[in-house]
Amino acid sequence: MKNIALLGATGSIGTNTVDVVMAYPELFKIVSLTFHSNSEKGAELIERLKPRYVGVGSEKIKAELTDRFPDIEFGVGAEGLVGAAIYEAVDVVLTAITGSVGLLPTMAAIEVGKDIALANKETLVMAGKWVMEAAEKNNVNILPVDSEHSAIFQCLEGQKVDNLKELVITASGGSFRDLTRDELKTVTLEQALNHPNWSMGKKITIDSSTMMNKGLEVIEAHWLFGTDYDKIKVVLHKESIVHSMIALKDGAYLAQMGPSDMREPIQYALTYPDRLPIKNELAFDLTQIGQLNFEPMDFNRFPMLDLAFTVGKKGGAYPTVYNAANEIAATSFIDGKISYLQIEQFVQRAVDHYQETTEVTLSEVIEIDKQTRTIVERWIKEEGRL
Ligand code: NDP
Ligand code: MG
């Protein structure tokens, strides 16, 4: 029996994880979980999963739920996230919350020796160096849930590090892949949220369309696999059938394929190195799919992908700034405060504005994350929607 802490149980990855867990109740148990604001769904999950510890977003939700579930221990805010992550019985923490709030509970869990099934890519983008160092020191596995990284992880199994030539990350192109930059000026939130292949949370769906998501994934791959940026390539693959590939020295390519179903990488992160059938498997017939297409990425069309390589190579807190500015800008677009193209403008401006002079520590990175949010929030307030 594997005991799981599920951070972000009410979200898209959270829901898929609950499906995986419920399909094998004899193998998996969610002993602690967190959610932020969706108390209706949160309460439903508590009824179904009967966790022992629950982290919630506010004192008000805690008070309501304590009356209903007097036997459960509740925690609020950051304390609730950490409480769920380090809960004693937990073997593996599945980080399915959005944004850099994922860092603190992930680090806390690593420090007490819990394995991490990592969906929350923002954590690695912001603090990959420290997360990976702590994982090594505490002998903790970081198992990728992101489909591209799970694909690469699967392809790398049994390979000597020396054999690797490069990682090839595939990108679906997101909701606006067929629009020109000029056409992007007038797009709406509703159009942006209409992803061609994947059903996901709002923020990551916006990030897919701006190619921020792929940018974050490039930096995530750099830290997860210890691969230089010069050896990470991105190709446009509109079908989202090949989830990613590795190229080996001798010219061989290994690719991992499958339907667009997040249950597969989630389940593999929980069963690794074993595999189990997926219950209610989605249809997958290559003869129906017929053909797979790969195109080069246009860095002028998707400047946020180009910027990911720039901030990644600069290192230090540059990726933190890139991520923090995007978290504020993407959320502001979702809230109707800025237009679509302003997302990129604010991210670019935050990166240009930041001047790193010395090597940074983890606590400085956390401070820079906060400062960047404050600055971008101020810009948005002052300048508003263009
Ligand atoms: P969702 O928006 O669907 O869910 C986010 C979850 O985090 C919800 O449970 C939400 O709670 C909780 N949450 C939101 N804000 C906070 C906060 N400030 N503090 C604590 N908890 C919070 O996101 P996704 O499931 O789509 O994505 C989660 C992570 O996984 C992201 O990092 C994303 O990049 C990554 N990922 C997602 C994929 C997908 O298919 N969706 C694929 C690969 C990676 P509530 O709803 O109760 O407010
Ligand atoms: Mg992905």
Side-chain angles (χ1 to χ4, degrees):
M1 175 70 81
K2 197 167 258 185
N3 287 331
I4 299 164
L6 177 55
L7 311 187
T10 46
S12 162
I13 293 285
T15 304
N16 277 298
T17 305
V18 170
D19 280 357
V20 166
V21 166
M22 296 307 271
Y24 290 103
E26 69 286 9
L27 296 179
F28 305 124
K29 162 103 186 107
I30 292 177
V31 292
S32 60
L33 63 82
T34 77
F35 62 91
H36 192 59
S37 58
N38 189 348
S39 51
E40 197 181 322
K41 187 158 182 191
E44 231 175 80
L45 288 172
I46 295 173
E47 297 263 8
R48 265 175 85 192
L49 302 166
K50 306 205 169 10
R52 287 182 249 155
Y53 185 99
V54 174
V56 295
S58 69
E59 290 290 348
K60 186 169 168 273
I61 297 178
K62 176 181 168 180
E64 280 165 21
L65 293 179
T66 306
D67 285 345
R68 253 178 96 179
F69 305 101
D71 298 336
I72 292 177
E73 193 182 338
F74 286 93
V76 177
E79 191 193 311
L81 291 171
V82 172
I86 65 170
Y87 193 75
E88 205 182 347
V90 166
D91 300 309
V92 57
V93 181
L94 201 140
T95 64
I97 53 181
T98 310
S100 62
V101 295
L103 177 63
L104 188 69
T106 306
M107 281 302 257
I110 292 173
E111 267 148 31
V112 294
K114 314 283 191 200
D115 282 340
I116 307 292
L118 185 111
N120 175 258
K121 61 193 83 179
E122 295 92 339
T123 291
L124 273 194
V125 172
M126 179 182 172
K129 175 172 178 276
W130 296 276
V131 171
M132 296 312 286
E133 275 172 13
E136 196 175 334
K137 185 169 145 234
N138 292 288
N139 213 4
V140 155
N141 291 313
I142 310 267
L143 299 151
V145 167
D146 210 345
S147 58
E148 295 77 1
H149 305 75
S150 176
I152 291 170
F153 179 72
Q154 294 179 49
C155 294
L156 283 171
E157 266 172 61
Q159 288 298 335
K160 288 187 183 150
V161 181
D162 272 4
N163 290 346
L164 186 70
K165 189 168 121 204
E166 59 191 29
L167 309 180
V168 185
I169 299 178
T170 53
S172 72
S175 340
F176 299 142
R177 60 194 184 188
D178 298 319
L179 301 193
T180 62
R181 289 200 59 81
D182 207 41
E183 287 167 332
L184 292 177
K185 285 181 188 153
T186 52
V187 293
T188 63
L189 174 64
E190 201 191 357
Q191 291 167 324
L193 289 177
N194 188 17
H195 194 286
N197 306 346
W198 296 91
S199 156
M200 309 182 285
K202 280 186 188 171
K203 191 226 168 213
I204 185 176
T205 306
I206 300 301
D207 288 353
S208 298
S209 72
T210 55
M211 214 44 77
M212 262 312 289
N213 182 50
K214 214 45 59 179
L216 298 173
E217 289 181 356
V218 165
I219 302 171
E220 181 186 12
H222 166 77
W223 289 114
L224 266 179
F225 305 112
T227 311
D228 286 349
Y229 287 100
D230 293 335
K231 292 185 171 180
I232 303 176
K233 300 281 172 323
V234 180
V235 296
L236 186 64
H237 168 51
K238 291 186 182 172
E239 292 89 357
S240 293
I241 296 294
V242 171
H243 297 314
S244 279
M245 308 174 235
I246 62 170
L248 300 173
K249 262 185 189 165
D250 58 3
Y253 277 74
L254 305 184
Q256 190 263 354
M257 292 190 254
S260 304
D261 182 354
M262 284 309 295
R263 292 176 307 161
E264 191 275 325
I266 291 169
Q267 185 172 289
Y268 191 58
L270 296 176
T271 60
Y272 169 80
D274 299 322
R275 291 186 187 258
L276 288 171
I278 294 268
K279 298 275 168 78
N280 306 317
E281 205 176 346
L282 297 185
F284 185 69
D285 181 350
L286 283 173
T287 64
Q288 290 292 317
I289 295 158
Q291 53 176 314
L292 301 176
N293 293 280
F294 301 92
E295 297 165 52
M297 286 305 309
D298 179 347
F299 283 84
N300 294 320
R301 167 65 183 79
F302 295 112
M304 291 300 100
L305 182 57
D306 196 24
L307 190 60
F309 283 96
T310 306
V311 296
K313 285 177 188 168
K314 281 192 173 188
Y318 279 95
T320 309
V321 172
Y322 171 80
N323 176 64
N326 177 61
E327 283 190 31
I328 298 300
T331 314
S332 299
F333 172 68
I334 292 169
D335 295 342
K337 292 182 191 158
I338 61 172
S339 66
Y340 183 74
L341 280 176
Q342 281 178 294
I343 303 174
E344 298 178 347
Q345 288 161 13
F346 284 118
V347 175
Q348 182 68 56
R349 185 159 147 197
V351 171
D352 292 342
H353 180 266
Y354 177 64
Q355 296 292 333
E356 188 166 291
T357 47
T358 52
E359 210 167 290
V360 286
T361 61
L362 178 58
S363 51
E364 283 165 347
V365 157
I366 293 170
E367 193 47 41
I368 291 162
D369 173 72
K370 277 199 203 125
Q371 285 169 4
T372 307
R373 287 160 189 278
T374 310
I375 293 167
V376 178
E377 269 167 358
R378 199 186 68 218
W379 289 341
I380 289 174
K381 209 165 163 198
E382 283 169 4
E383 293 163 33
R385 199 182 160 101
L386 295 180

